[in-house]
Amino acid sequence: MNTNTSAHSFTISNNPQEEVHRVLSALSTVFNTTAAAPPHDDRGRSTVDLSHREDADRYLTQFQRSTVAWIVADRLLSSSNDPQVQFFAAQTIHTKCRADILQLDFHQLDSLRDSLMESMMRFISRGGSGVKAIVTRLAMAICCLALQMKWDSIMDDLLLTLQQQPLEQQQPMMELVLMIAKILPEEVNSERVLLPNEQQRYVFVEKLVHSSEKMLQFLFFCASNAGGSGDDSGRRVKIQEQVLRCLHSWVRYVNIPPALLQSTQLVDFIFAILQANDYNVYGGDLFEQSVDVVIEMLRCYPSENPDNMGLVQKFIPLIMDLGLESHSPFQKALRLEDEDGMRDYCRIFTEMGESYMSLIVHHEDLNQVKLVNLVLACSAIPDNDIATITLHFWYRFVSCLEDMEPYEYRQLQIDNYTPQIIQLVSTCTSLLRYPSDIETLSADRIDDIDRNRFYVNDTLEDCCRLLGGDMVLRTIGKMLQTEVERLSSLGEEGVRQWHTMEACFKALISTSRYIPHDESTVLPFVMNLVPTLPTSVPFLRKTANLMVGAFAEWLNRHYDQLQPILPFLSQGLSDSASASSAAVAIKHLCENSNSQVALGDSVLHLYDGIVAAQLQQQQHSSAPILDIRDELEVLEGACKAVSRQLAEKLAHDPTSSTSLEYINRIVEPIGSRLVQCTSTSTTGPKQVIAELERLTVVIRYLNIPNRRPEFLIDLMTQCWPYLEMISSSFTDFQMAEKVCRLHKHCLRNCGVSAYKPLFEKLCIHLINNFSHSRQSPYLYAASIVISEFGRDADPQCQKQLYTLLEEMGKASFQLLHSAEQFKNHPDVVEELFFFASRMIQYSPEIFVSSHMFHPFVQCAAVGMTQPHKDANRGSMTFLDHAFSFALTIHACSTSSGGDGIDGIILDCQQSIEALLSKEGQTIVTNLILSLIGELPCYRISSNNSSGSVAGVLYKLYRLCPNRVMEWMTVPLNRVSQTEQTLLMNAFRSNVSKDQLFGVCERFVEVCSRSQRMGSAY
């Protein structure tokens, strides 16, 4: 019989030999090999069944945390001949050197170090398949061990050992030392290496800094003496690659004094490789490593630090020589279209520009323009993936110029770089060009291209901020005009070569926010082009639509230009590829319409046609012509245009009654379809949702002048029976969300006073539908009702709010009757407590003094233990607000001395006192367990928002300090005395919130480290 052991926790014995056999059996299952031992011990006794992959994985993970794993891994390294087993043993030792070092006595560390070194030398001398991975993992273990045992002379000791090796052993020993030297800074800086005291790490790093001169000398020796020519060239290149990888690691993780890098001959060695760019001589990997080292040096030693200036001055001519002259390697790569070479040199020049930005914008003439021109040449590389590497440089360049003070100096610098920025505009426009085979590319690839285009557009906006939109517009306009003339000369062939024209349209979008309304040179030419564009090119049409929308404000001031474009947009709605962009453009035009350009009637007529066509498609069970989202964009635009049109008509003629005509045109079709949806049993949820979405748009954006609240109340009153039927017929989350969203916007657009006739009806509606469906949107809508009506002092209103709270609470508690239900309905938990939090914020007295307060807090004590982030956050936010109000009540009581307290305040005080007596221990225990790490802790402390663990704990301590100190002792027994003292000492009468937050964050850090290391310290 097969036993399901998915939840099995294995017992790891202290018998190394027994665990060796179990490990081999588990590895045999994991790697699906037959080389490992069968699942029996040396006496033939059957062990735990590890024939299932999941069980084997779980056992091996648990084994690696055990103390006996040290001995077992050491034996496997020395006794097994299977590389997979040996690698697992090396990996186990590395993992334990990182986190479990406290399982060993300090005097055992020396023997462990010697054993690891011996194993590495044995594997290196033996060679064979898989050896490199094993040696690398052992080297990582040695480096972790060096940090753990404070062996800060490791490099000196290894170099001495290298010198003492026989001649035939020096080459493999050199490779081993280089490997360890490369890994050491990485492991020392790794957060995965858990230390009893972080200060130990900082001290070790300082030791590495002091040994960096000797390390640089060793690296140059290795690079210069790594074999000879002929048959040894492969080994020479291999060692030189190791040298560069090691140097890269030290530059990144060790703060090598810049003077040492300035003086080392390694820099000249690296630039000789970069100058040659000869894969036959140096090998591709060696060149790539050289590029990476130079880039890392540039990043770590920027020009803004005066201490780096010696190194900077050495680097500038070396790097500029790579690209300035016609015979330079960068120019050669451009001529040969060497993609790898262009990318690598582009990375260097761009990184140099970013790192030396303080020199580029320096007031002295340092010939900085040459570097900017070099980056500009990189931006013009035909390969867009390479050219876009430079975009972050241009962002920083523009930001630095913008931040310059005073204005006169800033403008002087901008004038100096204007030729380069104008050239950048042309370059960026070219970068926006789609590849010629765009129609055949996959959707994912097109998404990548569009993402790059987005960043290029950002760069063009940066140019507009520096030069002004007018100059950028003229530059792009010239490119567009030239391209139009070229395409015109090609006849029919020009239609297939649309890509540059589309790029110009895309570039123009970036200028839209910076163009004056009276621009009369470029935009008229551009807008006259739009109606003449071919309808057979979706990409071109889509971008043209977006461009029209971007210039909506300008177009509404130039109606003669707009009129021919409207049919172009209308026609675009019938094409699925361009429908979304056309809908957005129409919406933007409507948003900017004015008395001179009254778009309400025409767009409303267009929308009527859309809806009619959509309904016809539905009747024939065909796919809709226009996606509902695009249709809603047009409806939103129509509502905004009509609203503006009505407002202007009313301003000219206060007796005008045209609003009724528009209301009927917009609302009646929606109402008719809503009635039809609720009266037909075959109506699907998709149709109902579409009508709810349309109704919501009308409520949000159709503004009837002087009588908007009355219009909305009338509309909702007529729709209410149908909304009730929809809510009772469709109990899914999506329908509940749409209905509640409709109510929310109506309430907020009406205002509290106007909405009062529907207030009680809405509360009943939310209560009944939540009780029926148990969908969280109804709780969210209830919280909106609380926030809108909570400050209304009307007793009847307050009574209704309490009824809403009580009924929603009862229905929720019935649903959340067990811990399992909390896990199954995290959205209900989240919204329930945000709803209760709103009640605490807006109508606290009626809530806290009631019999419902205790059940809510009791439920929150369970919610705060939930692993779901939002459910946990909602529970913690409620508790935070509850105890904030309790502090307010406590302050009122203290200031009055207990005399003359209002009855409601006294009731609140007694309710809070009773609550603390019953739930205080549970809440404080949960808070401490969250800090320890045994319960979820999504927010330790926060000054900007409520609901943090430390924040709730601080408020409880302010409320009842002695009891909190007593309650804390129970959960703190789970941690060491050191950790207990760290937290308990923070609680004193005058502790500030910030001080306590800091201690809690430190306490979490210490507890986390203790748990990961498997021992308290």
Side-chain angles (χ1 to χ4, degrees):
M1 182 178 68
N2 289 331
T3 304
N4 184 0
T5 58
S6 61
H8 184 68
S9 178
F10 297 94
T11 301
I12 309 296
S13 73
N14 291 322
N15 183 339
Q17 190 59 32
E18 180 180 342
E19 293 306 319
V20 164
H21 283 273
R22 294 176 73 184
V23 168
L24 291 174
S25 175
L27 290 174
S28 175
T29 300
V30 169
F31 296 127
N32 196 23
T33 65
T34 56
H40 294 81
D41 64 17
D42 54 346
R43 297 182 183 179
R45 295 177 301 187
S46 176
T47 64
V48 176
D49 180 14
L50 296 174
S51 59
H52 298 290
R53 175 67 181 264
E54 290 183 4
D55 293 338
D57 277 335
R58 197 177 304 107
Y59 162 73
L60 292 172
T61 301
Q62 192 172 334
F63 159 78
Q64 286 187 316
R65 294 196 293 263
S66 68
T67 304
V68 76
W70 292 102
I71 301 173
V72 173
D74 186 59
R75 289 187 183 180
L76 291 174
L77 268 179
S78 57
S79 61
S80 176
N81 292 319
D82 186 339
Q84 291 179 324
V85 173
Q86 292 168 332
F87 179 79
F88 172 78
Q91 182 190 51
T92 299
I93 293 175
H94 174 223
T95 301
K96 299 190 76 61
C97 285
R98 275 181 165 179
D100 296 333
I101 204 71
L102 293 180
Q103 291 177 347
L104 300 178
D105 294 332
F106 192 76
H107 69 272
Q108 294 177 291
L109 301 183
D110 286 341
S111 60
L112 174 62
R113 175 187 61 191
D114 297 340
S115 174
L116 289 175
M117 290 298 298
E118 181 183 336
S119 296
M120 277 195 294
M121 293 303 298
R122 184 173 69 252
F123 279 109
I124 286 175
S125 60
R126 191 172 69 190
S129 173
V131 164
K132 182 178 179 181
I134 298 168
V135 173
T136 301
R137 190 61 68 166
L138 290 174
M140 295 168 76
I142 278 283
C143 294
C144 291
L145 184 61
L147 176 59
Q148 297 280 14
M149 63 186 295
K150 303 178 184 179
W151 180 23
D152 51 34
S153 63
I154 175 174
M155 291 314 306
D156 292 336
D157 295 345
L158 288 174
L159 292 176
L160 181 61
T161 303
L162 173 61
Q163 293 173 1
Q164 296 170 348
Q165 293 294 313
L167 188 61
E168 64 276 8
Q169 288 294 322
Q170 283 191 353
Q171 195 77 9
M173 186 63 189
M174 178 188 291
E175 294 179 23
L176 176 60
V177 174
L178 284 170
M179 178 183 291
I180 294 175
K182 184 258 181 188
I183 293 171
L184 182 62
E186 298 169 356
E187 290 293 315
V188 168
N189 284 275
S190 172
E191 293 182 356
R192 294 186 177 184
V193 181
L194 306 178
L195 301 170
N197 187 345
E198 280 297 309
Q199 187 63 29
Q200 185 175 328
R201 193 189 310 273
Y202 306 139
V203 171
F204 199 99
V205 171
E206 281 302 308
K207 293 288 185 180
L208 292 181
V209 173
H210 293 316
S211 64
S212 55
E213 182 174 10
K214 188 178 292 186
M215 176 54 56
L216 292 175
Q217 292 171 352
F218 167 67
L219 291 178
F220 181 69
F221 171 80
C222 294
S224 305
N225 298 277
S229 58
D231 293 339
D232 291 334
S233 61
R235 170 159 287 199
R236 171 177 58 80
V237 171
K238 179 182 176 183
I239 290 179
Q240 288 175 340
E241 288 174 0
Q242 276 191 282
V243 167
L244 293 179
R245 280 193 287 268
C246 181
L247 178 59
H248 183 273
S249 177
W250 278 67
V251 170
R252 171 175 286 189
Y253 295 108
V254 181
N255 187 22
I256 302 175
L260 292 179
L261 290 174
Q262 180 186 349
S263 61
T264 180
Q265 293 175 282
L266 283 169
V267 172
D268 300 317
F269 168 73
I270 291 169
F271 276 94
I273 296 172
L274 296 177
Q275 273 288 351
N277 190 14
D278 190 337
Y279 289 8
N280 295 322
V281 176
Y282 292 106
D285 288 344
L286 191 61
F287 182 82
E288 293 288 341
Q289 290 296 331
S290 300
V291 172
D292 290 342
V293 171
V294 169
I295 288 174
E296 199 61 44
M297 287 184 177
L298 289 168
R299 285 177 181 165
C300 295
Y301 298 91
S303 62
E304 61 191 26
N305 186 344
D307 295 339
N308 300 334
M309 286 312 297
L311 181 61
V312 170
Q313 289 170 356
K314 179 170 184 174
F315 261 44
I316 288 175
L318 290 172
I319 295 178
M320 296 302 287
D321 283 348
L322 297 175
L324 274 183
E325 304 300 331
S326 59
H327 60 271
S328 66
F330 172 58
Q331 299 296 336
K332 178 183 175 183
L334 288 177
R335 288 193 297 272
L336 297 176
E337 298 183 356
D338 173 9
E339 183 178 326
D340 292 330
M342 289 189 294
R343 176 179 287 104
D344 288 329
Y345 291 118
C346 176
R347 289 174 59 208
I348 292 174
F349 300 145
T350 303
E351 196 62 50
M352 179 184 179
E354 293 190 42
S355 186
Y356 295 170
M357 189 63 71
S358 63
L359 296 180
I360 290 176
V361 298
H362 197 268
H363 64 277
E364 292 184 29
D365 183 5
L366 304 173
N367 212 7
Q368 305 97 313
V369 172
K370 285 189 176 181
L371 175 54
V372 176
N373 283 333
L374 206 49
V375 180
L376 193 57
C378 293
S379 299
I381 291 174
D383 188 320
N384 281 25
D385 289 337
I386 298 174
T388 51
I389 293 172
T390 64
L391 294 182
H392 190 257
F393 163 81
W394 295 114
Y395 165 74
R396 288 197 56 197
F397 177 64
V398 170
S399 299
C400 287
L401 289 177
E402 283 184 314
D403 292 341
M404 284 185 168
E405 295 293 345
Y407 171 80
E408 292 76 12
Y409 173 60
R410 176 168 72 247
Q411 194 56 48
L412 179 63
Q413 285 286 49
I414 292 172
D415 292 343
N416 288 339
Y417 286 113
T418 291
Q420 284 73 31
I421 300 171
I422 290 176
Q423 181 60 43
L424 177 63
V425 171
S426 300
T427 299
C428 284
T429 304
S430 300
L431 287 177
L432 289 170
R433 191 181 186 278
Y434 275 126
S436 56
D437 60 345
I438 185 68
E439 290 93 345
T440 64
L441 299 181
S442 67
D444 287 344
R445 178 59 184 146
I446 293 175
D447 286 344
D448 291 339
I449 293 171
D450 284 337
R451 190 178 304 111
N452 275 345
R453 280 162 49 104
F454 174 82
Y455 296 131
V456 174
N457 269 112
D458 276 353
T459 303
L460 283 169
E461 280 206 43
D462 295 338
C463 295
C464 289
R465 294 204 309 275
L466 283 185
L467 300 181
D470 209 35
M471 187 178 294
V472 175
L473 181 71
R474 286 199 302 271
T475 303
I476 301 170
K478 286 178 183 177
M479 292 183 67
L480 178 60
Q481 193 164 8
T482 302
E483 181 63 13
V484 169
E485 291 171 0
R486 186 185 74 84
L487 295 179
S488 299
S489 67
L490 296 177
E492 291 294 325
E493 176 62 24
V495 176
R496 289 189 287 273
Q497 298 187 24
W498 53 267
H499 306 76
T500 302
M501 180 187 288
E502 189 275 342
C504 291
F505 286 163
K506 185 70 174 175
L508 287 170
I509 294 173
S510 301
T511 69
S512 60
R513 292 195 299 159
Y514 306 92
I515 301 304
H517 300 313
D518 58 352
E519 204 287 323
S520 59
T521 307
V522 177
L523 288 182
F525 167 74
V526 173
M527 296 306 167
N528 284 332
L529 276 178
V530 173
T532 67
L533 295 176
T535 58
S536 57
V537 185
F539 288 99
L540 178 61
R541 186 162 194 164
K542 176 183 175 182
T543 304
N545 290 340
L546 294 174
M547 181 190 66
V548 168
F551 287 100
E553 191 171 354
W554 184 90
L555 281 166
N556 279 311
R557 293 171 181 267
H558 300 78
Y559 186 63
D560 57 321
Q561 299 288 337
L562 173 60
Q563 208 166 9
I565 292 176
L566 289 175
F568 178 83
L569 295 177
S570 301
Q571 187 183 9
L573 292 172
S574 60
D575 180 4
S576 59
S578 61
S580 292
S581 58
V584 170
I586 291 170
K587 183 183 77 171
H588 287 325
L589 288 169
C590 290
E591 287 173 341
N592 291 279
S593 64
N594 51 48
S595 56
Q596 285 74 37
V597 184
L599 295 178
D601 286 301
S602 55
V603 176
L604 196 52
H605 179 73
L606 172 64
Y607 177 72
D608 291 340
I610 291 171
V611 174
Q614 299 282 66
L615 292 175
Q616 190 175 8
Q617 293 294 114
Q618 286 180 10
Q619 290 171 2
H620 293 85
S621 301
S622 304
I625 300 172
L626 196 62
D627 187 89
I628 183 64
R629 290 173 299 179
D630 302 328
E631 179 196 324
L632 294 176
E633 296 276 14
V634 178
L635 177 58
E636 179 184 336
C639 289
K640 289 178 176 178
V642 166
S643 300
R644 182 168 295 188
Q645 202 165 313
L646 290 175
E648 294 189 355
K649 279 188 178 181
L650 191 65
H652 289 92
D653 180 10
T655 63
S656 173
S657 59
T658 54
S659 59
L660 185 60
E661 175 191 345
Y662 286 109
I663 291 173
N664 292 336
R665 286 185 63 184
I666 295 174
V667 175
E668 278 192 0
I670 298 175
S672 299
R673 292 192 300 270
L674 201 59
V675 172
Q676 186 179 358
C677 285
T678 55
S679 61
T680 307
S681 58
T682 57
T683 302
K686 192 172 182 180
Q687 292 172 262
V688 178
I689 286 174
E691 298 307 331
L692 291 175
E693 293 271 31
R694 291 172 182 133
L695 191 58
T696 302
V697 169
V698 171
I699 285 173
R700 293 182 69 184
Y701 301 111
L702 183 57
N703 187 359
I704 307 301
N706 297 338
R707 54 182 303 268
R708 188 182 192 188
E710 294 87 344
F711 159 66
L712 294 179
I713 292 297
D714 289 344
L715 177 60
M716 288 301 291
T717 301
Q718 294 176 43
C719 294
W720 203 277
Y722 309 109
L723 296 176
E724 290 280 14
M725 292 174 66
I726 289 169
S727 298
S728 60
S729 301
F730 301 95
T731 58
D732 59 288
F733 178 90
Q734 189 178 16
M735 192 67 73
E737 192 272 333
K738 299 302 180 186
V739 170
C740 291
R741 183 167 172 265
L742 174 66
H743 285 301
K744 176 188 74 173
H745 287 299
C746 184
L747 171 56
R748 286 182 168 169
N749 283 298
C750 278
V752 171
S753 299
Y755 196 85
K756 273 208 172 176
L758 295 178
F759 170 51
E760 184 176 355
K761 188 184 287 190
L762 176 60
C763 292
I764 295 171
H765 174 79
L766 297 177
I767 291 168
N768 291 341
N769 286 295
F770 178 67
S771 301
H772 177 55
S773 68
R774 306 295 172 88
Q775 295 294 348
S776 60
Y778 293 108
L779 285 166
Y780 169 74
S783 70
I784 299 298
V785 172
I786 297 289
S787 64
E788 295 296 324
F789 284 93
R791 300 202 185 280
D792 193 324
D794 180 7
Q796 190 62 33
C797 178
Q798 291 293 311
K799 181 180 177 182
Q800 186 63 55
L801 290 178
Y802 177 74
T803 302
L804 179 64
L805 172 83
E806 184 178 34
E807 295 302 324
M808 289 296 218
K810 287 178 181 177
S812 299
F813 300 150
Q814 288 174 2
L815 176 65
L816 305 172
H817 57 80
S818 67
E820 189 66 24
Q821 292 300 319
F822 272 82
K823 293 179 181 177
N824 292 341
H825 303 281
D827 58 323
V828 172
V829 177
E830 176 195 6
E831 296 299 349
L832 173 67
F833 287 112
F834 279 120
F835 165 58
S837 295
R838 293 277 177 92
M839 195 70 179
I840 288 280
Q841 289 176 283
Y842 292 97
S843 301
E845 293 88 354
I846 194 172
F847 180 21
V848 174
S849 62
S850 74
H851 70 280
M852 291 300 295
F853 183 55
H854 189 170
F856 266 96
V857 175
Q858 195 173 27
C859 191
V862 180
M864 67 189 294
T865 67
Q866 296 308 302
H868 190 280
K869 183 176 181 179
D870 293 330
N872 184 287
R873 184 169 62 99
S875 305
M876 292 295 295
T877 300
F878 167 69
L879 291 174
D880 193 294
H881 288 144
F883 295 130
S884 292
F885 178 70
L887 283 173
T888 303
I889 294 295
H890 180 70
C892 290
S893 175
T894 303
S895 62
S896 66
D899 299 326
I901 302 178
D902 290 344
I904 188 73
I905 299 297
L906 185 59
D907 290 344
C908 290
Q909 187 176 354
Q910 292 171 351
S911 176
I912 292 166
E913 180 59 35
L915 171 78
L916 289 173
S917 299
K918 292 181 180 180
E919 303 297 334
Q921 177 69 72
T922 301
I923 293 171
V924 170
T925 297
N926 288 344
L927 292 171
I928 299 300
L929 292 180
S930 296
L931 294 176
I932 291 173
E934 295 186 20
L935 286 177
C937 183
Y938 295 107
R939 186 185 294 152
I940 302 169
S941 61
S942 175
N943 288 317
N944 299 323
S945 55
S946 58
S948 67
V949 174
V952 175
L953 193 59
Y954 174 74
K955 289 173 183 177
L956 271 171
Y957 177 72
R958 291 271 311 279
L959 196 60
C960 48
N962 294 331
R963 282 193 285 181
V964 168
M965 296 288 284
E966 179 185 345
W967 291 332
M968 285 170 56
T969 57
V970 176
L972 282 176
N973 286 330
R974 299 171 183 245
V975 298
S976 70
Q977 187 61 45
T978 303
E979 292 156 349
Q980 291 182 33
T981 304
L982 171 63
L983 188 61
M984 295 293 281
N985 285 348
F987 287 88
R988 54 186 186 276
S989 59
N990 61 341
V991 65
S992 71
K993 183 173 69 173
D994 290 341
Q995 288 172 331
L996 183 62
F997 281 10
V999 170
C1000 286
E1001 288 172 357
R1002 173 63 180 157
F1003 178 76
V1004 168
E1005 181 185 335
V1006 171
C1007 290
S1008 174
R1009 188 181 298 120
S1010 288
Q1011 290 174 353
R1012 286 183 291 166
M1013 295 188 73
S1015 174
Y1017 51 86

